[in-house]
Every structure is written in structure tokens, then in C-alpha cells.
């Protein structure tokens, strides 16, 4: 399972598992200290997402799916025309991500009060960014790949950054919930 992984991939699996573990702690904290129901649901989904990301990276499934899609397109003779559907798909992911981020920020943070609620919202928003990143990596449109894997390594920055934001939000949530008056 982990034998063919680079040190970076192993570190990513470890980070995803650590984030999944802290999200599980957030879930148990929400249940134990009788927080709002949406807190527990959000932490549960975040926990599942990061466990799935660890499995995807650890088993090499993301690369396997990319290769399988390429081979399927080559077998169908559609590989040369792949950009015809990759462009609208990538544009759709970027548009939906931007729209959801805007609505989340506008509606969510205007109506959400309290450090617990903000921590959960920040963690959920970061998890959504991670989902969008994985979707863009799977689409594998060359101009987007050039940005993600180019000299600035935006893929690493977004991947590690969102993971650390979720980790920090979970730890903040636990601290606030445990210390509440």
C-alpha cells in the first residue's frame, strides 16, 4: 500500500490522518458538550473527507483514476479532443467554487456568531476548497496544471494550507468548547 509512495506522499497521508483525527475529536467534543447539531455533522463530514483523502493518496487512487480516464479516452479516440470537455469542466469547478465561497462568506459569516461556530465554518470552507482542488487535479487541464504544479507549487500550498487550517480550526473549536463557561 505505502511501499511505492514518495516521502511527500507519505507526509501528506500522515497530515490527512492527523486532520481526520482532530476532526473526529471535534465531532466527539460537539457530542460530549452538546453543541449545535450542525457542528457534529460538519466535523463528521470533514473527518470522512480527510480519511478518504488519506486513502486516495496512500493507495494512489487519484493517479490511478487519472491514468484510467486517459486510457479510456485514448481507447475511444477522444484523447486528442479532451480539452473540449476539460475546459468547461474546469471552468465549472472554478465558477461553482467561487460562487459557493462568495455565498458562504456573505451569508455564513454574517449570520454566524461565536468562536465555536466560526471555527466550524472555517473548517468546512477549507474542506470545500480541498474538494475543489482534488476535482481540478482530476480534470487535469494543462493551463490549470501549469498553475497548480508550476514554480509556485500552488497545489502544495493549497493542499497543505487547507489541511492546516482545518487542523487549527478543530483545535480552536475543542479549546473553546472545553473551556466554555
Amino acid at each position: 500500500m505505502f511501499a511505492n509512495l514518495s516521502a511527500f506522499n507519505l507526509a501528506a497521508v500522515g497530515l490527512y490522518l492527523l486532520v481526520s483525527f482532530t476532526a473526529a475529536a471535534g465531532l466527539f467534543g460537539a457530542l460530549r458538550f452538546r453543541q449545535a447539531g450542525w457542528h457534529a455533522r460538519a466535523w463528521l463530514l470533514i473527518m470522512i473527507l480527510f480519511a478518504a483523502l488519506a486513502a486516495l493518496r496512500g493507495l494512489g487512487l487519484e493517479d490511478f483514476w487519472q491514468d484510467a480516464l486517459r486510457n479510456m479516452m485514448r481507447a475511444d479516440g477522444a484523447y486528442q479532443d479532451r480539452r473540449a470537455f476539460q475546459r468547461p469542466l474546469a471552468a465549472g469547478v472554478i465558477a461553482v467554487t467561487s460562487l459557493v465561497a462568495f455565498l458562504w462568506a456573505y451569508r455564513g459569516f454574517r449570520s454566524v456568531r461565536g468562536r465555536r461556530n466560526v471555527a466550524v465554518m472555517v473548517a468546512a470552507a477549507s474542506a470545500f476548497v480541498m474538494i475543489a482542488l482534488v476535482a481540478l487535479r482530476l480534470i487535469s487541464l494543462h493551463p490549470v496544471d501549469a498553475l497548480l504544479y508550476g514554480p509556485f507549487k500552488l497545489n502544495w500550498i493549497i493542499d497543505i494550507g487547507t489541511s492546516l487550517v482545518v487542523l487549527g480550526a478543530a483545535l480552536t473549536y475543542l479549546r473553546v468548547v472545553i473551556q466554555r463557561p
Side-chain angles (χ1 to χ4, degrees):
M1 175 170 144
F2 297 116
N4 297 335
L5 293 181
S6 67
F8 179 75
N9 283 335
L10 281 174
V13 169
L15 179 59
Y16 294 156
L17 290 174
L18 178 62
V19 173
S20 183
F21 176 76
T22 56
L27 166 64
F28 293 124
L31 295 173
R32 164 87 167 75
F33 294 102
R34 293 186 173 91
Q35 299 301 302
W38 69 273
H39 289 193
R41 289 187 296 276
W43 289 123
L44 175 65
L45 292 174
I46 293 168
M47 177 190 75
I48 291 169
L49 170 67
F50 278 90
L53 289 171
L56 282 172
R57 184 67 64 103
L59 298 172
L61 292 177
E62 193 175 325
D63 294 331
F64 173 78
W65 287 338
Q66 276 183 334
D67 292 340
L69 286 171
R70 283 187 192 114
N71 291 336
M72 187 172 62
M73 286 188 294
R74 284 185 182 117
D76 291 343
Y79 188 75
Q80 300 302 328
D81 300 325
R82 69 189 179 280
R83 285 181 179 59
F85 69 87
Q86 283 178 318
R87 283 185 184 115
L89 200 54
V93 167
I94 292 168
V96 167
T97 302
S98 300
L99 179 64
V100 169
F102 173 76
L103 292 175
W104 200 303
Y106 181 74
R107 289 188 72 204
F109 287 109
R110 280 190 44 191
S111 62
V112 171
R113 299 285 183 254
R115 292 180 296 164
R116 286 173 283 200
N117 296 329
V118 170
V120 177
M121 289 288 289
V122 166
S126 295
F128 181 75
V129 169
M130 182 64 86
I131 292 169
L133 176 64
V134 171
L136 287 173
R137 288 192 309 220
L138 284 173
I139 293 168
S140 190
L141 179 65
H142 179 70
V144 174
D145 287 350
L147 284 173
L148 291 177
Y149 303 112
F152 297 114
K153 305 293 185 219
L154 289 179
N155 177 55
W156 293 4
I157 293 169
I158 296 169
D159 193 317
I160 295 168
T162 55
S163 298
L164 292 176
V165 168
V166 173
L167 179 71
L171 294 173
T172 299
Y173 179 82
L174 286 168
R175 185 175 44 86
V176 170
V177 167
I178 291 169
Q179 294 177 354
R180 74 180 180 150

